[in-house]
């Protein structure tokens, strides 16, 4: 009896161990199968690696050329020259200061030099310059003749016989002109400027003259 029970126990124990080993192996196999199945599922889910790599075609950008704007600089024109003004003309004088007691002037055209001159023996008024017509030279005139006319307080007017200019203040230029329409009345004589020449008169006697380049008269 005892022998049988022991045998039974031993056989039962071996059988249990065998069953345990088998169960363990079956468990390992099942686990291995799950692991392989899981790995196989992950490998199937991933896309296959590309067989070739295609690089994108290089793009070439043409260089852009920036043209600088052409700037034109306009040179300003010079300003027009100022208008040329005529030279100032001497204003005709209507009054004259006495030079040594005498009054000197010229005709507006500058062709005659005139004066009212008080002298020690007489007072006279006259004008010198070329005039026409001229009377014949008198026998007693040995110098320039007919280059002017004068009137004195001793008689009528007459043509002059002189060796030079008498009616001048002695300046570098001729004396100022007596404007047309102007008069000088000094020392008993009156000289006037008109379109037809210069005339001088002795206020006391009424004797006098008028002289111009192309005409003259004495009285």
């Amino acid at each position: 009896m005892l022998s049988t029970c022991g045998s039974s126990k031993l056989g039962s124990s071996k059988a249990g161990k065998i069953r345990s080993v088998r169960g363990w192996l079956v468990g390992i196999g099942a686990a291995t199968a799950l692991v392989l199945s899981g790995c196989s599922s992950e490998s199937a889910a991933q896309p296959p690696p590309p067989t070739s790599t295609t690089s994108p075609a290089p793009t070439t950008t043409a260089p852009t050329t920036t043209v600088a704007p052409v700037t034109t600089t306009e040179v300003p024109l010079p300003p027009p020259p100022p208008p040329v003004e005529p030279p100032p003309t001497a204003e005709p004088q209507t009054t004259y200061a006495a030079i040594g007691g005498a009054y000197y002037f010229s005709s507006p055209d500058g062709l005659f030099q005139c004066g009212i001159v008080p002298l020690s023996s007489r007072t006279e008024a006259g004008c010198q310059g070329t005039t026409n017509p001229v009377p014949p030279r008198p026998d007693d005139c040995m110098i320039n003749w007919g280059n002017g006319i004068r009137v004195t307080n001793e008689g009528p007017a007459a043509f002059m016989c002189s060796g030079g200019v008498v009616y001048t203040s002695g300046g570098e230029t001729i004396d100022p002109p007596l404007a047309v329409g102007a008069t000088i009345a000094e020392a008993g004589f009156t000289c006037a400027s008109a379109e037809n020449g210069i005339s001088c008169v002795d206020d006391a006697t009424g004797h006098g003259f008028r002289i111009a380049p192309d005409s003259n008269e004495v009285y």
Side-chain angles (χ1 to χ4, degrees), residues 15-175:
K17 287 182 180 180
I18 291 170
R19 282 194 299 268
S20 286
V21 171
R22 284 179 181 176
W24 180 76
L25 291 176
V26 171
I28 290 175
T32 302
L34 288 174
V35 171
L36 292 176
S37 175
C39 291
S40 175
S41 297
E42 288 180 4
S43 298
Q46 292 179 357
T51 57
S52 61
T53 303
T54 303
S55 299
T59 58
T60 303
T61 303
T64 58
T65 303
T66 303
V67 179
V70 178
T71 58
T72 303
T73 303
E74 295 184 1
V75 178
L77 296 176
V84 178
E85 297 182 359
T89 56
E91 291 293 331
Q93 297 186 19
T94 55
T95 59
Y96 297 81
I99 300 176
Y103 298 83
Y104 299 104
F105 60 94
S106 64
S107 62
D109 54 15
L111 297 179
F112 295 95
Q113 292 176 264
C114 309
I116 299 173
V117 184
L119 301 174
S120 58
S121 61
R122 67 182 188 273
T123 300
E124 63 182 51
C127 290
Q128 287 180 281
T130 303
T131 184
N132 189 56
V134 177
R137 179 193 299 267
D139 294 339
D140 60 351
C141 180
M142 307 303 295
I143 52 178
N144 295 331
W145 167 251
N147 65 342
I149 303 174
R150 74 175 128 202
V151 60
T152 72
N153 57 358
E154 297 177 347
F159 280 83
M160 295 176 61
C161 179
S162 63
V165 179
V166 175
Y167 305 115
T168 177
S169 62
E172 295 181 356
T173 60
I174 64 173
D175 294 293

Side-chain angles (χ1 to χ4, degrees), residues 3-23:
S3 173
T4 304
C5 288
S7 207
S8 237
K9 287 179 182 179
L10 289 171
S12 174
S13 175
K14 288 181 181 180
K17 287 182 180 180
I18 291 170
R19 282 194 299 268
S20 286
V21 171
R22 284 179 181 176

